[in-house]
Amino acid sequence: MHPILDGIDLVAFDLDGTLIDSVPDLALAVDAALADLDLPAAGEARVRDWVGNGSLVLVERALRFAADADAGAGEADPATALRGGAVNPSLGATDAVPGIGPPLRAVPGASPDGASQAVDTTLLERAHSAFLAHYGRDPGAHTRLYPGVRECLDALRERGLPLALVTNKPFAFIAPLLEGLGLAEHFALCLGGDSLPEKKPHPAPLLHLASYFDLAPSRCLMVGDSRHDIAAGRAAGFRTLAVPYGYNHGEPVQASGPDGMVESLAELV
């Protein structure tokens, strides 16, 4: 096995951008929700850059894009638009966590401290409900595993190493996705973004895992594709491993300082 697994008794994986490429289905649901409100579509390229902070923040970013488009601001560059500055309801402020680091760059129209411009609460609730309904019809229709993921999970499971899933995706969507991909039996515990009061980059979900399995955090590994995964792992005292192919708001995950990097999860085993 990879040296980063030495002394590790539990491996926690992020889901979107680490194990699966779910953006095609997420983008279809986002655009369908916007269409329900007679708002312009965002498109897959933009959605790919907005994923990572949970469904409510994803929809909020889409609404702010649509508002800018309706206001005649023109089409935002998907490489720079709305990167990570949205308010994260689970933290009550921006997506920064005290002691971990600043939020990603401020979005257009944001206040100087990086907090996003407010979105009408009623509109956000309507759009989010529509998104959940559209996405829930078939969340795995176009979602695929990244290369090397199945080989990695199968090998770790065969060796008796407990596996957990920690995602900011709503919990209700986890089981249908895992069942559709044939991975439902691989994880001893799954946590969604609404399973606990806090979500990544807050360390609470990872500390919950360590407590659940009665393990010291130092004997646990967090595997993810974004700065939120690395920040959560570091704050919880986990070892951290990153993959470079996922969703990190257009920024290289290496800049977050993970303990290790692999091009494919197959390298773990």
Side-chain angles (χ1 to χ4, degrees):
M1 291 193 290
H2 193 285
I4 203 166
L5 290 172
D6 291 346
I8 292 297
D9 295 323
L10 170 72
V11 182
F13 290 92
D14 173 53
L15 182 59
D16 300 80
T18 300
L19 302 182
I20 62 174
D21 183 7
S22 54
V23 163
D25 288 308
L26 292 170
L28 287 173
V30 166
D31 285 347
L34 292 173
D36 287 348
L37 300 172
D38 295 322
L39 294 172
E44 185 173 318
R46 291 185 180 88
V47 171
R48 188 169 294 276
D49 211 31
W50 297 340
V51 172
N53 299 97
S55 62
L56 189 64
V57 175
L58 171 61
V59 173
E60 181 189 358
R61 289 170 179 158
L63 287 176
R64 287 188 290 115
F65 159 78
D68 285 347
D70 272 355
E75 291 196 0
D77 180 353
T80 59
L82 307 183
R83 283 187 182 163
V87 170
N88 185 334
S90 81
L91 300 180
T94 66
D95 56 7
V97 176
I100 292 178
L104 297 176
R105 79 174 90 177
V107 300
S111 59
D113 64 1
S116 67
Q117 195 170 27
V119 171
D120 178 78
T121 301
T122 301
L123 180 63
L124 179 57
E125 290 175 353
R126 288 177 58 200
H128 188 232
S129 294
F131 166 81
L132 294 176
H134 287 295
Y135 188 61
R137 290 190 181 102
D138 192 355
H142 306 284
T143 292
R144 299 293 180 266
L145 291 176
Y146 286 108
V149 167
R150 190 176 301 279
E151 295 87 339
C152 172
L153 297 180
D154 285 348
L156 293 177
R157 184 186 180 202
E158 288 171 5
R159 293 173 185 177
L161 194 61
L163 307 180
L165 193 68
V166 185
T167 173
N168 284 347
K169 181 186 291 293
F171 181 80
F173 299 127
I174 297 176
L177 283 167
L178 294 182
E179 289 167 3
L181 294 166
L183 297 177
E185 304 301 319
H186 284 66
F187 297 97
L189 182 65
C190 297
L191 296 178
D194 50 359
S195 295
L196 298 171
E198 310 286 359
K199 61 168 70 74
K200 298 176 299 183
H202 200 285
L206 300 190
L207 292 173
H208 179 85
L209 282 183
S211 176
Y212 180 88
F213 289 98
D214 195 23
L215 293 170
S218 61
R219 300 193 67 83
C220 303
L221 175 69
M222 178 66 214
V223 182
D225 65 302
S226 79
R227 72 186 295 262
H228 307 298
D229 299 314
I230 305 309
R234 184 182 299 114
F238 279 40
R239 204 173 298 175
T240 57
L241 180 74
V243 293
Y245 51 71
Y247 320 139
N248 192 37
H249 309 290
E251 299 185 355
V253 70
Q254 296 94 320
S256 300
D259 295 314
M261 289 278 303
V262 292
E263 294 296 319
S264 165
L265 289 179
E267 295 177 35
L268 271 183
V269 295

